[in-house]
Amino acid sequence: ETMDKEFISLLYIYDSKTCEDLSKFSRQNGFILRKCDDFKNACDQAKLRHPDLVIIESDMDKIQMDEKSIKELGKTEFNFKPAVFLSLSRYPQSEKRLNLMCLGYDDFLIRPFSIKEVKKKIKVYCQCKDSSQKILIRDIKLKKTFEYLNKFKDELKETKTELFEERTTLNN
């Protein structure tokens, strides 16, 4: 439900002969849409925009051409990796789906698809991203806490040494 109130940053990659109506990815529907009609430029756009979701529109015959893009996208360093969906005109066979998932596609959208379907599928990936962000923040806080703890231990050790020296002086 919180997903409906937040904007989903979307990078939609397609060739110039796209058949999907991109107007459904409007702000009113909860999306911040960036379009990219050049597969060579797609990774740079993804690095620049840090989207929550990347949808790559393709056809079963053309997937081989898009494999280079998805491999390059998979090698890209992101703080939090975006979900990558492949938009197809028909559902691939089991073996092909497995190969595509191994390449780096997280899920599939079969055209025509609805906004509700996209939001339902992206929800899981956004929850993973939120969890990763919370873990990172917790780890940073934990590291800082240990730094303070070590600092206090050093100060305590120093104070104990000074007290021991003072006690020795007093005893003499």
Side-chain angles (χ1 to χ4, degrees):
E1 287 102 286
T2 57
M3 199 62 189
D4 295 333
K5 294 177 185 115
E6 297 175 10
F7 286 106
I8 298 167
S9 171
L10 168 64
L11 176 62
Y12 199 98
I13 304 167
Y14 61 97
D15 64 17
S16 54
K17 300 178 286 287
T18 185
C19 59
E20 190 63 32
D21 176 21
L22 300 182
S23 66
K24 63 184 169 188
F25 296 113
S26 65
R27 279 191 174 271
Q28 291 84 0
N29 287 333
F31 290 90
I32 298 172
L33 173 65
R34 302 278 188 250
K35 298 180 241 178
C36 179
D37 62 357
D38 179 11
F39 283 98
K40 293 177 188 122
N41 203 9
C43 285
D44 293 335
Q45 287 290 318
K47 281 186 231 176
L48 183 67
R49 305 289 182 195
H50 299 282
D52 299 316
L53 172 61
V54 175
I55 296 178
I56 300 176
E57 186 172 300
S58 190
D59 289 315
M60 291 302 288
D61 311 327
K62 235 180 60 178
I63 289 179
Q64 260 42 49
M65 284 173 38
D66 304 338
E67 282 184 13
K68 187 179 176 208
S69 296
I70 190 67
K71 283 180 183 173
E72 196 177 323
L73 194 62
K75 292 178 191 170
T76 304
E77 289 288 322
F78 290 103
N79 289 338
F80 303 101
K81 182 189 170 298
V84 181
F85 292 177
L86 180 61
S87 168
L88 296 166
S89 55
R90 59 187 158 87
Y91 210 62
Q93 295 295 319
S94 175
E95 191 67 31
K96 187 67 178 174
R97 280 194 314 268
L98 184 60
N99 289 340
L100 291 168
M101 291 169 96
C102 288
L103 279 174
Y105 291 102
D106 296 309
D107 213 328
F108 305 95
L109 294 167
I110 308 306
R111 296 185 300 269
F113 52 84
S114 70
I115 291 300
K116 285 182 181 178
E117 179 183 359
V118 174
K119 285 186 174 185
K120 190 72 172 170
K121 286 187 175 199
I122 188 67
K123 195 175 200 175
V124 172
Y125 299 98
C126 285
Q127 288 171 344
C128 287
K129 182 178 176 179
D130 288 346
S131 295
S132 296
Q133 288 173 334
K134 286 176 184 172
I135 289 169
L136 179 67
I137 289 168
R138 190 202 66 211
D139 288 350
I140 290 169
K141 284 181 180 177
L142 192 61
K143 182 180 176 191
K144 200 173 265 187
T145 302
F146 273 107
E147 287 172 1
Y148 283 131
L149 185 61
N150 288 333
K151 183 180 163 189
F152 290 141
K153 280 170 58 178
D154 291 342
E155 287 178 11
L156 180 63
K157 201 181 241 182
E158 196 177 303
T159 305
K160 280 176 85 176
T161 305
E162 288 174 10
L163 282 173
F164 181 75
E165 288 171 358
E166 285 184 25
R167 191 179 87 196
T168 304
T169 306
L170 280 172
N171 283 340
N172 287 340

